[in-house]
Amino acid sequence: MANLENWIIEQGLRGADVGSLLSGFAERLVTDGMPLVRVYLALPTVNPTIRVYTHVWTRSAGLMVEGVSHERNELAFDRSPFAYMMQTEQTSCHWHVDDPKDRQFDVFDDVRREGGTDYLARLFSFENTSAPDLRGIGISLSSSRPVGLQAEEIARIDALLPLLGLAAYRMTLFDLTVAMLDTYVGLSAGRRVLSGEIRRGFGTTVTAALLFADLRGFTSLADTAGMDLIARLDQHLEAMADPVAEQGGEVLKFMGDGVLAAFPITEERSRESACAAAIQAARTALERNDAVNRLRAGETPLSLDIALHCGDVFYGNIGAAGRLDFTVIGPAVNEVSRMEALCSGLDCSVVLSDSVASVSPVPVRSLGRHRLRGIAAERELFTFTTSGD
């Protein structure tokens, strides 16, 4: 077992994911002669959509990982062995799934289907006040032996599980860090922070197609609407943000009722391709925003204004020593925001600069030359051609 202990420690130091940790642990126990047919590990997480990740290894099918949403099947946990253990303040239990004298749970049906006869359950508490929602882990093991796991096998398992729990905790904290960075600062920015680009003023100049979107009329509506407005705003922002991700762009900032997104130009993605992606994202966002308004029939509709521009931006850490923001700044960002402000006066939903319009894969028409606030020279602006043009 020393080899297995060393392997768990190695995984804790360098391992990539809990699923590989669990399946490797189970398979090594089987190799050592333990007749396991099912091993289960549940880890709570801090995620806007996922409440807990479940990892199930079975001898017949290998590993399966599932993220359980906050809304889905909430009563299932209440009927589980782990809920019972928490209610009765127990951290270790051992049931025989066919013994009428033992308490029965729905999950025992899954154990029987795998040829299991018992259910050894353990709870480990993390008790980290800085991450209170990461309360701990639940793990269960089932064997195919008619009398279940033997005392010496349970002793082996109990000696190994603290190591396994510690390794899983380290991986979970790292996954949590990545997920939170992806959620709150964006995929690309999150990876840059994790790679060490954390010094104030550190960054790089990139060329990108920029998309700036804003809801027309939201400010006045916010003055009179109640808390339901937040749920509605989420729907509109999702209509703007999802098309950006689908086209390979990144939302850099949510600004109240607006979105700033970028489609970087790289060796793999030409300016034409980046601008085409931004245009497609804009068209899809308009369609989905209209769909949100239809779902909210009877409420004041909120139109979407979008500006598209292409240029150089500074992408990096900006802010105070104790509070940094990984975002883009520069003349191109200022210009695209000033362009969006003209949508209402020009009576159109989308305004494109010449840098985007010149490579547009869809027909465009000129809106004439206009002066943008804070910019000396006039700019020729464009919009999409409609069937009536």
Side-chain angles (χ1 to χ4, degrees), residues 23 26 34 40 83-84 102 112 120-121 134 147 187-188 193 198 223 238 250 285 316 343 358:
S23 58
M34 201 172 293
Y40 169 91
Y84 169 79
D102 271 354
R112 293 187 189 96
L120 180 75
L134 294 179
V147 296
L187 183 62
S188 176
V193 171
I198 57 176
D223 291 336
E238 193 171 75
E250 181 177 357
C343 284
S358 62

PDB file of all heavy atoms in Angstrom, residues 23 26 34 40 83-84 102 112 120-121 134 147 187-188 193 198 223 238 250 285 316 343 358:
ATOM      1  N   SER A  23     -10.401   7.327 -10.444  1.00  0.00           N
ATOM      2  CA  SER A  23     -10.322   6.086 -11.225  1.00  0.00           C
ATOM      3  C   SER A  23      -8.991   5.382 -10.990  1.00  0.00           C
ATOM      4  O   SER A  23      -8.940   4.149 -10.865  1.00  0.00           O
ATOM      5  CB  SER A  23     -10.530   6.379 -12.715  1.00  0.00           C
ATOM      6  OG  SER A  23      -9.569   7.297 -13.195  1.00  0.00           O
ATOM      7  N   ALA A  26      -9.230   3.675  -7.547  1.00  0.00           N
ATOM      8  CA  ALA A  26     -10.068   2.476  -7.568  1.00  0.00           C
ATOM      9  C   ALA A  26      -9.377   1.325  -8.286  1.00  0.00           C
ATOM     10  O   ALA A  26      -9.374   0.173  -7.807  1.00  0.00           O
ATOM     11  CB  ALA A  26     -11.403   2.797  -8.235  1.00  0.00           C
ATOM     12  N   MET A  34      -8.682  -5.999  -3.983  1.00  0.00           N
ATOM     13  CA  MET A  34      -9.943  -5.598  -3.366  1.00  0.00           C
ATOM     14  C   MET A  34     -11.051  -5.698  -4.418  1.00  0.00           C
ATOM     15  O   MET A  34     -10.950  -5.073  -5.483  1.00  0.00           O
ATOM     16  CB  MET A  34      -9.822  -4.173  -2.813  1.00  0.00           C
ATOM     17  CG  MET A  34     -10.837  -3.846  -1.737  1.00  0.00           C
ATOM     18  SD  MET A  34     -10.501  -2.237  -0.941  1.00  0.00           S
ATOM     19  CE  MET A  34      -8.950  -2.556  -0.097  1.00  0.00           C
ATOM     20  N   TYR A  40     -17.549   6.064  -5.616  1.00  0.00           N
ATOM     21  CA  TYR A  40     -18.257   7.332  -5.875  1.00  0.00           C
ATOM     22  C   TYR A  40     -17.623   8.442  -5.046  1.00  0.00           C
ATOM     23  O   TYR A  40     -17.268   8.232  -3.874  1.00  0.00           O
ATOM     24  CB  TYR A  40     -19.728   7.166  -5.503  1.00  0.00           C
ATOM     25  CG  TYR A  40     -20.546   8.436  -5.460  1.00  0.00           C
ATOM     26  CD1 TYR A  40     -21.228   8.894  -6.576  1.00  0.00           C
ATOM     27  CD2 TYR A  40     -20.658   9.172  -4.276  1.00  0.00           C
ATOM     28  CE1 TYR A  40     -22.005  10.042  -6.538  1.00  0.00           C
ATOM     29  CE2 TYR A  40     -21.431  10.330  -4.222  1.00  0.00           C
ATOM     30  CZ  TYR A  40     -22.110  10.757  -5.350  1.00  0.00           C
ATOM     31  OH  TYR A  40     -22.859  11.886  -5.310  1.00  0.00           O
ATOM     32  N   ALA A  83     -26.893  12.510   3.037  1.00  0.00           N
ATOM     33  CA  ALA A  83     -27.818  13.388   3.757  1.00  0.00           C
ATOM     34  C   ALA A  83     -28.175  12.775   5.110  1.00  0.00           C
ATOM     35  O   ALA A  83     -28.222  13.480   6.133  1.00  0.00           O
ATOM     36  CB  ALA A  83     -29.072  13.620   2.921  1.00  0.00           C
ATOM     37  N   TYR A  84     -28.412  11.477   5.103  1.00  0.00           N
ATOM     38  CA  TYR A  84     -28.721  10.785   6.366  1.00  0.00           C
ATOM     39  C   TYR A  84     -27.552  10.901   7.347  1.00  0.00           C
ATOM     40  O   TYR A  84     -27.745  11.160   8.547  1.00  0.00           O
ATOM     41  CB  TYR A  84     -29.022   9.317   6.075  1.00  0.00           C
ATOM     42  CG  TYR A  84     -29.089   8.452   7.312  1.00  0.00           C
ATOM     43  CD1 TYR A  84     -30.221   8.438   8.128  1.00  0.00           C
ATOM     44  CD2 TYR A  84     -28.000   7.642   7.672  1.00  0.00           C
ATOM     45  CE1 TYR A  84     -30.265   7.649   9.277  1.00  0.00           C
ATOM     46  CE2 TYR A  84     -28.044   6.850   8.814  1.00  0.00           C
ATOM     47  CZ  TYR A  84     -29.177   6.859   9.605  1.00  0.00           C
ATOM     48  OH  TYR A  84     -29.223   6.071  10.739  1.00  0.00           O
ATOM     49  N   ASP A 102     -30.762  -3.375   7.510  1.00  0.00           N
ATOM     50  CA  ASP A 102     -30.031  -2.138   7.250  1.00  0.00           C
ATOM     51  C   ASP A 102     -30.949  -1.114   6.583  1.00  0.00           C
ATOM     52  O   ASP A 102     -31.868  -1.477   5.845  1.00  0.00           O
ATOM     53  CB  ASP A 102     -28.828  -2.395   6.336  1.00  0.00           C
ATOM     54  CG  ASP A 102     -27.586  -2.760   7.119  1.00  0.00           C
ATOM     55  OD1 ASP A 102     -27.635  -2.699   8.362  1.00  0.00           O
ATOM     56  OD2 ASP A 102     -26.579  -3.136   6.492  1.00  0.00           O
ATOM     57  N   ARG A 112     -26.527  -2.520  -6.799  1.00  0.00           N
ATOM     58  CA  ARG A 112     -26.936  -3.888  -7.177  1.00  0.00           C
ATOM     59  C   ARG A 112     -26.724  -4.138  -8.660  1.00  0.00           C
ATOM     60  O   ARG A 112     -26.317  -5.234  -9.067  1.00  0.00           O
ATOM     61  CB  ARG A 112     -28.406  -4.098  -6.811  1.00  0.00           C
ATOM     62  CG  ARG A 112     -28.699  -4.105  -5.317  1.00  0.00           C
ATOM     63  CD  ARG A 112     -30.149  -4.483  -5.054  1.00  0.00           C
ATOM     64  NE  ARG A 112     -30.501  -4.293  -3.657  1.00  0.00           N
ATOM     65  CZ  ARG A 112     -31.097  -3.193  -3.175  1.00  0.00           C
ATOM     66  NH1 ARG A 112     -31.406  -2.192  -3.993  1.00  0.00           N
ATOM     67  NH2 ARG A 112     -31.374  -3.106  -1.888  1.00  0.00           N
ATOM     68  N   LEU A 120     -19.934   1.304   1.601  1.00  0.00           N
ATOM     69  CA  LEU A 120     -19.105   1.918   2.635  1.00  0.00           C
ATOM     70  C   LEU A 120     -19.036   3.412   2.340  1.00  0.00           C
ATOM     71  O   LEU A 120     -18.570   3.817   1.270  1.00  0.00           O
ATOM     72  CB  LEU A 120     -17.700   1.304   2.629  1.00  0.00           C
ATOM     73  CG  LEU A 120     -16.721   1.851   3.660  1.00  0.00           C
ATOM     74  CD1 LEU A 120     -17.056   1.315   5.050  1.00  0.00           C
ATOM     75  CD2 LEU A 120     -15.282   1.482   3.282  1.00  0.00           C
ATOM     76  N   ALA A 121     -19.515   4.240   3.275  1.00  0.00           N
ATOM     77  CA  ALA A 121     -19.600   5.680   3.051  1.00  0.00           C
ATOM     78  C   ALA A 121     -18.776   6.433   4.077  1.00  0.00           C
ATOM     79  O   ALA A 121     -18.773   6.099   5.266  1.00  0.00           O
ATOM     80  CB  ALA A 121     -21.054   6.131   3.105  1.00  0.00           C
ATOM     81  N   LEU A 134     -17.259  25.056   0.103  1.00  0.00           N
ATOM     82  CA  LEU A 134     -16.501  23.821  -0.125  1.00  0.00           C
ATOM     83  C   LEU A 134     -16.436  23.063   1.202  1.00  0.00           C
ATOM     84  O   LEU A 134     -15.403  22.995   1.857  1.00  0.00           O
ATOM     85  CB  LEU A 134     -15.094  24.137  -0.644  1.00  0.00           C
ATOM     86  CG  LEU A 134     -15.013  24.776  -2.027  1.00  0.00           C
ATOM     87  CD1 LEU A 134     -13.567  25.058  -2.385  1.00  0.00           C
ATOM     88  CD2 LEU A 134     -15.648  23.893  -3.076  1.00  0.00           C
ATOM     89  N   VAL A 147     -20.201 -11.065   1.467  1.00  0.00           N
ATOM     90  CA  VAL A 147     -20.274 -10.510   2.821  1.00  0.00           C
ATOM     91  C   VAL A 147     -19.792  -9.064   2.876  1.00  0.00           C
ATOM     92  O   VAL A 147     -19.726  -8.465   3.951  1.00  0.00           O
ATOM     93  CB  VAL A 147     -19.459 -11.374   3.804  1.00  0.00           C
ATOM     94  CG1 VAL A 147     -20.062 -12.761   3.922  1.00  0.00           C
ATOM     95  CG2 VAL A 147     -17.989 -11.439   3.390  1.00  0.00           C
ATOM     96  N   LEU A 187     -12.105  34.076 -20.236  1.00  0.00           N
ATOM     97  CA  LEU A 187     -11.250  32.921 -20.469  1.00  0.00           C
ATOM     98  C   LEU A 187      -9.805  33.306 -20.734  1.00  0.00           C
ATOM     99  O   LEU A 187      -8.883  32.815 -20.082  1.00  0.00           O
ATOM    100  CB  LEU A 187     -11.798  32.108 -21.647  1.00  0.00           C
ATOM    101  CG  LEU A 187     -11.070  30.817 -21.985  1.00  0.00           C
ATOM    102  CD1 LEU A 187     -11.141  29.833 -20.828  1.00  0.00           C
ATOM    103  CD2 LEU A 187     -11.662  30.187 -23.240  1.00  0.00           C
ATOM    104  N   SER A 188      -9.573  34.193 -21.685  1.00  0.00           N
ATOM    105  CA  SER A 188      -8.204  34.569 -22.031  1.00  0.00           C
ATOM    106  C   SER A 188      -7.523  35.310 -20.890  1.00  0.00           C
ATOM    107  O   SER A 188      -6.384  35.016 -20.533  1.00  0.00           O
ATOM    108  CB  SER A 188      -8.203  35.445 -23.293  1.00  0.00           C
ATOM    109  OG  SER A 188      -6.899  35.893 -23.585  1.00  0.00           O
ATOM    110  N   VAL A 193      -3.706  35.635 -16.158  1.00  0.00           N
ATOM    111  CA  VAL A 193      -3.461  35.837 -14.727  1.00  0.00           C
ATOM    112  C   VAL A 193      -2.789  34.609 -14.132  1.00  0.00           C
ATOM    113  O   VAL A 193      -1.813  34.696 -13.379  1.00  0.00           O
ATOM    114  CB  VAL A 193      -4.775  36.153 -13.998  1.00  0.00           C
ATOM    115  CG1 VAL A 193      -4.554  36.140 -12.489  1.00  0.00           C
ATOM    116  CG2 VAL A 193      -5.313  37.512 -14.438  1.00  0.00           C
ATOM    117  N   ILE A 198       0.424  39.354 -13.615  1.00  0.00           N
ATOM    118  CA  ILE A 198      -0.369  39.946 -12.538  1.00  0.00           C
ATOM    119  C   ILE A 198       0.158  41.305 -12.089  1.00  0.00           C
ATOM    120  O   ILE A 198      -0.417  41.923 -11.204  1.00  0.00           O
ATOM    121  CB  ILE A 198      -0.419  38.987 -11.318  1.00  0.00           C
ATOM    122  CG1 ILE A 198       0.992  38.652 -10.845  1.00  0.00           C
ATOM    123  CG2 ILE A 198      -1.193  37.727 -11.651  1.00  0.00           C
ATOM    124  CD1 ILE A 198       1.036  37.797  -9.592  1.00  0.00           C
ATOM    125  N   ASP A 223     -35.115  53.099 -13.590  1.00  0.00           N
ATOM    126  CA  ASP A 223     -35.569  54.054 -12.582  1.00  0.00           C
ATOM    127  C   ASP A 223     -36.931  53.688 -12.017  1.00  0.00           C
ATOM    128  O   ASP A 223     -37.298  54.124 -10.916  1.00  0.00           O
ATOM    129  CB  ASP A 223     -35.633  55.463 -13.181  1.00  0.00           C
ATOM    130  CG  ASP A 223     -34.246  56.021 -13.485  1.00  0.00           C
ATOM    131  OD1 ASP A 223     -33.288  55.552 -12.851  1.00  0.00           O
ATOM    132  OD2 ASP A 223     -34.138  56.904 -14.350  1.00  0.00           O
ATOM    133  N   GLU A 238     -27.193  37.763 -21.802  1.00  0.00           N
ATOM    134  CA  GLU A 238     -26.906  36.440 -22.366  1.00  0.00           C
ATOM    135  C   GLU A 238     -27.098  36.453 -23.877  1.00  0.00           C
ATOM    136  O   GLU A 238     -26.324  35.822 -24.617  1.00  0.00           O
ATOM    137  CB  GLU A 238     -27.830  35.411 -21.722  1.00  0.00           C
ATOM    138  CG  GLU A 238     -27.433  33.972 -21.995  1.00  0.00           C
ATOM    139  CD  GLU A 238     -28.249  33.000 -21.159  1.00  0.00           C
ATOM    140  OE1 GLU A 238     -29.439  32.777 -21.496  1.00  0.00           O
ATOM    141  OE2 GLU A 238     -27.711  32.480 -20.173  1.00  0.00           O
ATOM    142  N   GLU A 250     -14.323  37.037 -27.068  1.00  0.00           N
ATOM    143  CA  GLU A 250     -14.326  37.030 -25.610  1.00  0.00           C
ATOM    144  C   GLU A 250     -14.965  38.296 -25.086  1.00  0.00           C
ATOM    145  O   GLU A 250     -14.632  39.403 -25.517  1.00  0.00           O
ATOM    146  CB  GLU A 250     -12.904  36.927 -25.057  1.00  0.00           C
ATOM    147  CG  GLU A 250     -12.866  36.896 -23.546  1.00  0.00           C
ATOM    148  CD  GLU A 250     -11.462  36.719 -22.999  1.00  0.00           C
ATOM    149  OE1 GLU A 250     -10.529  36.568 -23.794  1.00  0.00           O
ATOM    150  OE2 GLU A 250     -11.320  36.741 -21.764  1.00  0.00           O
ATOM    151  N   ALA A 285     -26.817  38.400 -31.999  1.00  0.00           N
ATOM    152  CA  ALA A 285     -27.214  39.081 -30.765  1.00  0.00           C
ATOM    153  C   ALA A 285     -28.501  39.877 -30.974  1.00  0.00           C
ATOM    154  O   ALA A 285     -29.385  39.893 -30.098  1.00  0.00           O
ATOM    155  CB  ALA A 285     -26.087  39.992 -30.281  1.00  0.00           C
ATOM    156  N   GLY A 316      -4.237  44.349 -20.736  1.00  0.00           N
ATOM    157  CA  GLY A 316      -3.416  44.005 -19.590  1.00  0.00           C
ATOM    158  C   GLY A 316      -4.000  44.484 -18.283  1.00  0.00           C
ATOM    159  O   GLY A 316      -5.182  44.837 -18.189  1.00  0.00           O
ATOM    160  N   CYS A 343     -26.009  55.373 -32.643  1.00  0.00           N
ATOM    161  CA  CYS A 343     -27.012  54.484 -33.232  1.00  0.00           C
ATOM    162  C   CYS A 343     -28.407  55.090 -33.180  1.00  0.00           C
ATOM    163  O   CYS A 343     -29.154  55.058 -34.168  1.00  0.00           O
ATOM    164  CB  CYS A 343     -27.014  53.140 -32.506  1.00  0.00           C
ATOM    165  SG  CYS A 343     -25.639  52.051 -32.939  1.00  0.00           S
ATOM    166  N   SER A 358     -15.090  47.449 -44.648  1.00  0.00           N
ATOM    167  CA  SER A 358     -14.311  47.169 -45.860  1.00  0.00           C
ATOM    168  C   SER A 358     -14.060  45.689 -46.081  1.00  0.00           C
ATOM    169  O   SER A 358     -13.734  45.276 -47.194  1.00  0.00           O
ATOM    170  CB  SER A 358     -12.968  47.913 -45.803  1.00  0.00           C
ATOM    171  OG  SER A 358     -12.197  47.465 -44.695  1.00  0.00           O
TER     172      SER A 358
END
